[in-house]
Amino acid sequence: MGDPRVDGMNEDGTGLLTIGELARLTGVSVKTIRSWSDQDLLPPAARTPAGYRLYGPDAPARLEIVRSLRELGIGLAAVRSVLHRELTVAETAAQWADALDAQIGTLRLQSAVLRSVAARGSATEELPYMTELARLSARERRRIIADFVEDALDGVDAPAYRSGLLAATPDLPDDPTPEQIGAWIELAALVREPELRAALRRLAEYSARTARPVGEPDAQGEPRTAAAPDPAAQERAAQEQAAQGQAAARVAELMRVRGEAAVAAGIAPDSPAAEPVIAELVAAWLPTQTGIADPPTEDDPAARARLLEQLETAAEPVVERYWQLLCSVTGRPAPPRWDTAGTWTTAALRAHPGPYELDRSAFDGTDPDRVLRAYEQVTRDVAVLVAAVRPEDLALPTPCAGWSVRELLDHMVWENLMATSIAEDAPRADHTADHLGDDHRAAFDDSVRAALAAFTGSGMLRRTYGPYEAPGAMIVQQVVVELLAHGWDLARATGAPTGLAPEAAEETLAAARRIYGAAPRTEGSSFAPERPAPPGASATDRLAAFLGRDPA
């Protein structure tokens, strides 16, 4: 049977349809039907004496096939192949799916370039260059990085460092995400920056300067020579290098974990509690130094100075960004951030340039009840000062170098919040955030109330924290020292009296001497060298002098 929608519809009884009738029946325009007919997708079955096209009973079904394939984006030539049975629908679908995937990839590329342009605020003349970068082949991308490395390290004798850089190639996957394409565009822009080239060259020069000289024995006791080694020696050297790299990675991770844990536990880098952490890190680091010139063999001032030099040399934010982008491009996990742990560890090494036995007496003699009363008394008097700060006072300078009154208040609120988070076993990591908001009085008062509730509700004052079991009461005592000292800073900045919390100031000064008395006052320390206090100075003034302020 014919299509019931078609049978008998033509007035001449032939069962043929005019182009207008076919258009009304299918909803496809006359213009489109005529175009498809002209391209042999829908040939007419006959023509009228006047030459008008007539379509047979199968035309509506054929037209639906053409329309469906076109709506799927399949080209006219491919549709013709299906209708003429040169290709099956399945074969055509597979081909066009591949073509669509390629088109989607192109659209992703275009989207990534446009988003990168928007994010970077690129100038008009940068657009063609960025588009070209995104279209490069894997070989061309590797060539860009190789040329960059060779140029940056030109003339520096650091083959191992150079090989490590060249081995890390920016291989995009076959189907990169917009984020990966954007990371590649940023990476390609970064390698053009003189700052990155200079930083990598400094690291390479350090590597060359500290490498074991030619002729010195390697880890197996055999001399290193400039001549090409035999295959066995090459294999042995490769294994040695791989083992050293793995050991160095383990030590770096240990330093990150220990440094972040120390920060979370409130251990100041120049406090006695930091010394055991540094001793542990140095002990783990020493075995990784066998491949350098004159390697240290024991924990002494020279070894600590060498480790500090390495950490300071490696502290290159632009190089860290380079490796982060490489990982983003290739889809590998980004390396852990080192900034928090690195800052703490370098400050602790400066404060503890040589090993010494931890005097645990610094942990002793801290009465939890007295510490709690001291905190209440200090925060009571400091809250009065905070309440008196007017909006126009927030920009005033303070005795803390580089800090305005607002920055000082933010730090005081942070001290309370950090101690609270330690008590709740959820140490904060948002030191650089704004903790003050629009109402400095409410922010300080709220932080004090939260801290008091945590101190009394968590048992913090009678617990210990961290791998060296620092008493919670001592951590709170450190907060008392900080708040009283910064309260003095606030009083000096705003012209208020500095004799704060007289009933708690003497014991707070004694606690500060017990906790920080043995700590060297070096660059990066919490406090400057002690200053003399004038005769008759209050305990708070003497505390300020002990911590490096000038109470005169």
Side-chain angles (χ1 to χ4, degrees):
M1 290 180 62
D3 190 327
R5 299 173 299 172
V6 178
D7 286 347
M9 290 187 66
N10 191 274
E11 293 179 357
D12 62 10
T14 62
L16 299 177
L17 297 167
T18 66
I19 195 169
E21 290 167 338
L22 183 58
R24 286 192 298 272
L25 185 64
T26 61
V28 179
S29 70
V30 170
K31 181 180 179 180
T32 299
I33 294 175
R34 184 179 295 115
S35 174
W36 287 350
S37 293
D38 291 342
Q39 297 180 71
D40 198 25
L41 301 178
L42 192 68
R47 288 184 180 266
T48 68
Y52 294 107
R53 307 177 213 220
L54 294 174
Y55 296 91
D58 65 335
R62 188 181 181 95
L63 188 58
E64 288 295 340
I65 293 173
V66 175
R67 177 161 59 180
S68 297
L69 292 173
R70 292 295 291 144
E71 287 178 350
L72 288 171
I74 296 178
L76 295 173
V79 173
R80 188 181 305 110
S81 296
V82 170
L83 294 173
H84 291 179
R85 303 190 182 281
E86 296 169 0
L87 289 173
T88 66
V89 171
E91 291 170 336
T92 302
Q95 290 178 0
W96 279 86
D98 291 341
L100 283 174
D101 286 343
Q103 185 178 9
I104 289 169
T106 300
L107 291 173
R108 283 179 174 170
L109 175 67
Q110 293 169 348
S111 173
V113 171
L114 291 172
R115 291 190 183 281
S116 184
V117 167
R120 290 164 52 83
S122 302
T124 305
E125 56 271 17
E126 287 185 289
L127 184 57
Y129 173 72
M130 294 174 67
T131 304
E132 179 185 355
L133 281 177
R135 291 174 174 164
L136 294 178
S137 67
R139 182 177 181 179
E140 290 168 330
R141 288 192 298 271
R142 287 193 290 270
R143 184 71 264 162
I144 285 178
I145 298 301
D147 289 347
F148 156 70
V149 170
E150 294 297 345
D151 180 61
L153 274 56
D154 182 40
V156 180
D157 183 19
Y161 188 75
R162 177 183 279 100
S163 297
L165 289 174
L166 292 175
T169 55
D171 292 326
L172 279 167
D174 293 336
D175 186 21
T177 65
E179 291 74 20
Q180 287 175 308
I181 296 173
W184 159 243
I185 291 173
E186 183 181 346
L187 177 65
L190 184 63
V191 299
R192 301 169 67 195
E193 295 294 332
E195 181 185 2
L196 176 61
R197 292 170 182 253
L200 285 179
R201 188 173 185 86
R202 285 193 295 271
L203 292 172
E205 289 172 343
Y206 179 82
S207 176
R209 189 169 64 251
T210 58
R212 187 189 299 276
V214 172
E216 285 193 9
D218 60 16
Q220 283 70 41
E222 298 183 9
R224 298 175 184 264
T225 64
D230 60 48
Q234 284 183 323
E235 176 64 20
R236 197 163 51 245
Q239 292 175 351
E240 177 187 344
Q241 184 175 353
Q244 288 177 341
Q246 293 170 357
R250 287 194 296 270
V251 172
E253 178 63 9
L254 178 66
M255 288 184 179
R256 184 187 69 80
V257 170
R258 290 289 186 265
E260 291 180 355
V263 172
I267 298 176
D270 50 1
S271 71
E275 164 56 27
V277 182
I278 293 302
E280 179 188 7
L281 297 181
V282 173
W285 166 80
L286 284 171
T288 68
Q289 300 304 293
T290 56
I292 69 172
D294 189 24
T297 58
E298 62 179 351
D299 184 357
D300 58 16
R304 294 194 177 197
R306 176 74 69 91
L307 175 55
L308 178 60
E309 180 188 20
Q310 287 184 6
L311 294 179
E312 290 177 332
T313 301
E316 297 278 8
V318 67
V319 175
E320 182 179 5
R321 182 59 182 160
Y322 173 79
W323 289 109
Q324 288 172 343
L325 288 171
L326 270 174
C327 290
S328 296
V329 169
T330 57
R332 294 194 298 265
R337 294 187 62 86
W338 171 247
D339 47 359
T340 298
T343 300
W344 187 91
T345 306
T346 52
L349 282 167
R350 294 189 196 101
H352 304 278
Y356 65 87
E357 188 68 28
L358 174 64
D359 181 7
R360 294 193 67 87
S361 65
F363 290 178
D364 300 333
T366 306
D367 180 85
D369 295 328
R370 293 183 68 84
V371 168
L372 183 61
R373 284 197 298 273
Y375 180 84
E376 292 172 334
Q377 292 163 3
V378 169
T379 54
R380 176 201 62 205
D381 284 12
V382 172
V384 173
L385 289 177
V386 173
V389 172
R390 302 165 301 175
E392 58 267 30
D393 296 333
L394 293 174
L396 292 173
T398 71
C400 283
W403 277 3
S404 65
V405 166
R406 191 187 194 286
E407 290 165 326
L408 180 71
L409 292 174
D410 185 87
H411 177 75
M412 294 165 72
V413 170
W414 160 257
E415 288 285 348
N416 284 324
L417 295 176
M418 186 63 191
T420 301
S421 69
I422 293 172
E424 295 172 345
D425 295 315
R428 303 172 69 104
D430 59 342
H431 183 271
T432 58
D434 178 12
H435 307 98
L436 212 57
D438 298 329
D439 190 340
H440 59 276
R441 301 176 184 87
F444 183 80
D445 291 343
D446 290 346
S447 71
V448 171
R449 280 192 293 270
L452 282 170
F455 296 162
T456 56
S458 67
M460 178 182 189
L461 292 164
R462 289 173 171 79
R463 291 173 57 194
T464 59
Y465 293 83
Y468 302 101
E469 299 184 345
M474 191 189 78
I475 295 174
V476 177
Q477 185 77 76
Q478 286 178 290
V479 177
V480 175
V481 172
E482 284 273 335
L483 291 178
L484 186 55
H486 289 315
W488 185 92
D489 293 330
L490 180 60
R492 288 296 291 264
T494 58
T498 58
L500 305 171
E503 62 273 42
E506 286 288 356
E507 61 186 81
T508 301
L509 172 58
R513 292 188 181 279
R514 184 175 69 253
I515 297 171
Y516 300 112
R521 305 295 180 93
T522 58
E523 182 184 355
S525 299
S526 300
F527 314 112
E530 183 175 1
R531 306 288 290 271
S538 69
T540 307
D541 286 339
R542 284 182 280 127
L543 172 67
F546 173 70
L547 298 179
R549 277 75 161 172
D550 183 4

